[in-house]
Amino acid sequence: MSSSFGLQVEMTIFGESHGPAIGVVLNNLPAGEPISEEGIAEQLARRAPGQDPTSTARKEPDVCRILSGMKNGVTTGAPLCAVIQNTDTRSGDYANIALCPRPSHADYAAHLRYKGCNDISGSGHFSGRLTAPLVIAGSICRQFLLRRGVHIGGHVLQIGGVQDEAFDPVSVSAEQLDQLAKTYFSTLSPHANRRMRSEIEAARMDMDSVGGLVELAAVGLPAGIGSPMFGGVENILAGALYGVPAVKGVSFGAGFAYGSMRGSAANDCYTLDEAGNIRTETNNCGGITGGITTGMPLLVQAALKPTPSIGKPQQTVNLDTMENTVLQIKGRHDPCIVPRALPALEAALAVGLMQLMAEGGKL
């Protein structure tokens, strides 16, 4: 099923943006593990809409209700099902796009794939709203991983032409990641954060949108998890990260910068630290070689496209009359999805690492 991910720990996301509810089912979670619902709420709050002018005005409380798989705050081993009720929907805002697909949305492709039966309201199952149950799953997995010494965090690296500082690829710390993971619109530089907000506001005032990059990291991962070729860490994590609808690019470590480097600069030379552990002097590989973790910090970047729903008139085709037409999109949309996508991408990383840890016998 396309909305399911993982084998050892399986995640299935269900629902539509303007349906009664959205939710997630996690199968094969270890039994007897405590789950903090406050921890889930904290991560959902980072993703929630309507927090400031950088996001959509849609207001959703995003209260998570766990229906099964947990008793007295502890996992039972049964499938864990969690739901969020949709409360602030305006399906009428989408009446004019039923037959006029929005540029760069899934409307036209979904119309072809599902013979016109797909729910168009709020983009239905293709909506970024479906990242809320992903955040629930990621928060649960994150709690499992934290108890095993794995810390996950990230920051907005770029919005339009404004860049934040990058992580130190060798010495990013658990404390740094934990602090970033508590914040909405996390950046390393306060100055970059202010400039990014100005960039987003300029796009909003121009009835437009802007894209960006996020940088994610994980520390405390045991060396030696993952597999070569098609079961590699990059393969598994990229599959999870691309579940966030706006993601159009994923890279690890130096990523595409490798294309302009010589081997003498790109290679991560091994050394012994003061405690006698094998480390690398640099970390261009992002903590992964041969699809397997090295014990160095895991580093990944994701590129997110500008929100396709903008206020400017755009060219499209009327699927009923088969004539060119101009579309004026209504509704409430993010001028920049990147700040709200960050906790969803951290969640996807957590779900992917949970899968790899289970596969490697580390749960």
Side-chain angles (χ1 to χ4, degrees):
M1 184 185 299
S2 64
S3 299
S4 295
F5 175 85
L7 296 174
Q8 280 79 4
V9 176
E10 182 186 49
M11 173 184 68
T12 298
I13 290 175
F14 62 87
E16 290 84 28
S17 177
H18 286 201
I22 53 178
V24 63
V25 176
L26 285 169
N27 213 356
N28 300 326
L29 288 176
E33 295 267 352
I35 298 297
S36 165
E37 295 190 60
E38 291 78 10
I40 296 173
E42 181 180 82
Q43 291 304 312
L44 282 171
R46 294 178 64 213
R47 195 220 68 94
Q51 299 196 48
D52 64 29
T54 64
S55 72
T56 172
R58 179 175 178 176
K59 293 282 189 179
E60 291 282 4
D62 283 356
V63 176
C64 169
R65 182 184 175 201
I66 296 178
L67 302 181
S68 66
M70 194 170 82
K71 186 174 183 179
N72 298 324
V74 175
T75 55
T76 65
L80 189 150
C81 178
V83 298
I84 296 173
Q85 301 296 319
N86 288 327
T87 58
D88 186 15
T89 61
R90 295 182 187 173
S91 298
D93 288 341
Y94 296 86
N96 67 327
I97 65 169
L99 292 174
C100 299
R102 295 165 294 177
S104 289
H105 267 283
D107 301 344
Y108 178 60
H111 177 83
L112 296 176
R113 173 69 173 82
Y114 298 108
K115 301 177 176 60
C117 296
N118 54 297
D119 183 354
I120 200 71
S121 301
S123 297
H125 193 65
F126 292 87
S127 171
R129 176 99 183 107
L130 274 295
T131 60
L134 173 60
V135 168
I136 294 174
S139 177
I140 291 169
C141 291
R142 198 175 202 147
Q143 294 179 43
F144 277 81
L145 294 170
L146 270 173
R147 283 192 287 273
R148 289 150 180 85
V150 180
H151 298 254
I152 293 170
H155 66 112
V156 178
L157 181 62
Q158 182 175 337
I159 297 288
V162 181
Q163 289 190 321
D164 190 20
E165 304 165 10
F167 282 132
D168 183 325
V170 174
S171 60
V172 58
S173 69
E175 293 76 19
Q176 182 183 32
L177 297 181
D178 290 346
Q179 184 58 43
L180 290 169
K182 297 176 181 177
T183 310
Y184 175 73
F185 203 155
S186 304
T187 56
L188 301 185
S189 162
H191 177 63
N193 190 289
R194 290 190 293 271
R195 291 182 60 214
M196 288 176 180
R197 289 176 178 274
S198 296
E199 188 92 349
I200 295 170
E201 179 62 11
R204 188 182 72 83
M205 293 300 292
D206 198 30
M207 299 175 68
D208 215 329
S209 61
V210 63
L213 302 173
V214 302
E215 185 179 36
L216 309 171
V219 298
L221 279 169
I225 65 169
S227 302
M229 295 193 72
F230 306 115
V233 174
E234 296 102 327
N235 308 57
I236 301 300
L237 296 184
L241 292 166
Y242 276 117
V244 176
V247 172
K248 297 300 285 185
V250 173
S251 66
F252 295 84
F256 291 100
Y258 271 128
S260 61
M261 298 169 73
R262 289 190 173 187
S264 55
N267 291 346
D268 297 317
C269 294
Y270 293 104
T271 186
L272 292 173
D273 65 15
E274 295 177 354
N277 300 309
I278 297 178
R279 305 272 294 170
T280 56
E281 294 178 344
T282 54
N283 191 21
N284 290 315
C285 67
I288 310 160
T289 55
I292 301 168
T293 56
T294 65
M296 294 294 289
L298 187 148
L299 296 166
V300 56
Q301 292 185 14
L304 296 102
K305 66 181 182 180
T307 313
S309 289
I310 59 176
K312 292 179 179 290
Q314 299 180 86
Q315 177 68 42
T316 188
V317 171
N318 186 302
L319 300 179
D320 186 28
T321 64
M322 293 304 292
E323 295 175 335
N324 290 326
T325 188
V326 174
L327 177 67
Q328 187 85 43
I329 297 175
K330 301 178 182 179
R332 300 156 294 173
H333 308 283
D334 296 81
C336 181
I337 198 66
V338 180
R340 292 180 55 221
L342 174 58
L345 288 163
E346 292 175 22
L349 180 61
V351 172
L353 290 177
M354 185 82 166
Q355 170 73 17
L356 288 159
M357 291 280 281
E359 190 178 82
K362 300 297 184 181
L363 289 183

